[in-house]
Amino acid sequence: MEPEATINSFLQLLNNQPELFTGEAKQDLGQLEISVDRVEQLPEADHAEFLADAIIDFCDVNPSVEQALQEKLNQQQPEESSEIILEEKRLLLSKRIQSLMTES
């Protein structure tokens, strides 16, 4: 599985299926947010892999999100990536996670 596909699909879940991120999943978003912020300390070549691994770790403890992500990945078409696009998606991911964590 391509790291970019994992990141794109997870971002789509955050935006389009926020109901997946309630209860324990909402609490676990805090750890994911730490990982998303930490990526800035790594070489750019490692960003996509690190973010995808963090998302996979999050999904490992949140089976409903994992199932939805897998379904999304099965539907997704491959797309090109660049470091600029990846940075924009990292920022969107961070903002959306923060938004979901602060919702009541």
Side-chain angles (χ1 to χ4, degrees), residues 39-103:
V39 78
E40 291 180 332
Q41 300 168 5
L42 301 171
E44 283 187 28
D46 297 335
H47 286 189
E49 191 73 36
F50 184 85
L51 285 173
D53 287 346
I55 290 168
I56 291 167
D57 289 345
F58 174 86
C59 288
D60 284 345
V61 295
N62 293 285
S64 60
V65 178
E66 181 176 32
Q67 182 179 359
L69 179 63
Q70 194 58 50
E71 290 171 8
K72 191 67 85 176
L73 286 168
N74 290 339
Q75 299 169 357
Q76 189 169 6
Q77 299 294 322
E79 58 181 74
E80 292 189 33
S81 175
S82 74
E83 290 171 357
I84 293 170
I85 292 171
L86 182 61
E87 179 61 15
E88 289 173 1
K89 289 189 179 180
R90 185 194 70 76
L91 292 172
L92 286 172
L93 188 63
S94 179
K95 287 179 184 177
R96 187 62 182 136
I97 288 171
Q98 290 173 9
S99 171
L100 283 171
M101 288 173 51
T102 58
E103 288 179 2

